[in-house]
Amino acid sequence: MFSGFLHYLIIISLEMSDEPYFRSVIAFGRIHIIEDDTEKLETARMLGNRYNPNQEEALQKELEKGLSRMLMIRFDIEHLTGKEAIELVKKHQIK
């Protein structure tokens, strides 16, 4: 089973007036290939229902066709860190 360390950076840019500000999050953790068919099926159903709600029959057909060919990875977050522009921090302190 593959297991490796990964960090992932998400930057969200916000527009407030004419000045760009930012918020960012960095997630550190381990990635794993999901090999257990039960966990794969459960996760695929969760994602399918999230993005195509009320399409249970179509989802079932897709899973029957493609689950065996699906590679699914899980990112177990061990640590999160974040920051935001000082202008946003000051705005939160005023409220």
Side-chain angles (χ1 to χ4, degrees):
M1 180 166 107
F2 173 81
S3 179
F5 189 75
L6 176 74
H7 71 271
Y8 190 74
L9 171 64
I10 300 171
I11 298 177
I12 302 169
S13 295
L14 304 171
E15 294 291 329
M16 297 176 61
S17 63
D18 293 330
E19 299 293 324
Y21 298 112
F22 66 91
R23 287 187 178 125
S24 67
V25 176
I26 301 175
F28 297 89
R30 301 230 174 250
I31 56 171
H32 306 275
I33 294 175
I34 298 175
E35 295 178 7
D36 179 64
D37 286 340
T38 303
E39 185 179 1
K40 247 167 78 167
L41 181 61
E42 202 173 281
T43 304
R45 281 192 184 287
M46 181 187 67
L47 289 169
N49 288 326
R50 168 71 171 97
Y51 292 104
N52 293 295
N54 305 316
Q55 300 291 321
E56 192 62 37
E57 191 175 314
L59 175 59
Q60 182 62 34
K61 285 180 185 177
E62 289 297 320
L63 291 175
E64 287 172 5
K65 273 193 317 192
L67 189 66
S68 64
R69 296 186 311 267
M70 185 183 299
L71 173 68
M72 189 175 291
I73 61 171
R74 181 181 68 235
F75 181 24
D76 294 328
I77 297 172
E78 297 173 356
H79 176 72
L80 282 173
T81 184
K83 63 182 179 176
E84 64 183 353
I86 191 68
E87 294 83 0
L88 294 173
V89 174
K90 290 177 182 176
K91 182 180 177 189
H92 294 307
Q93 291 172 345
I94 293 171
K95 291 183 178 180

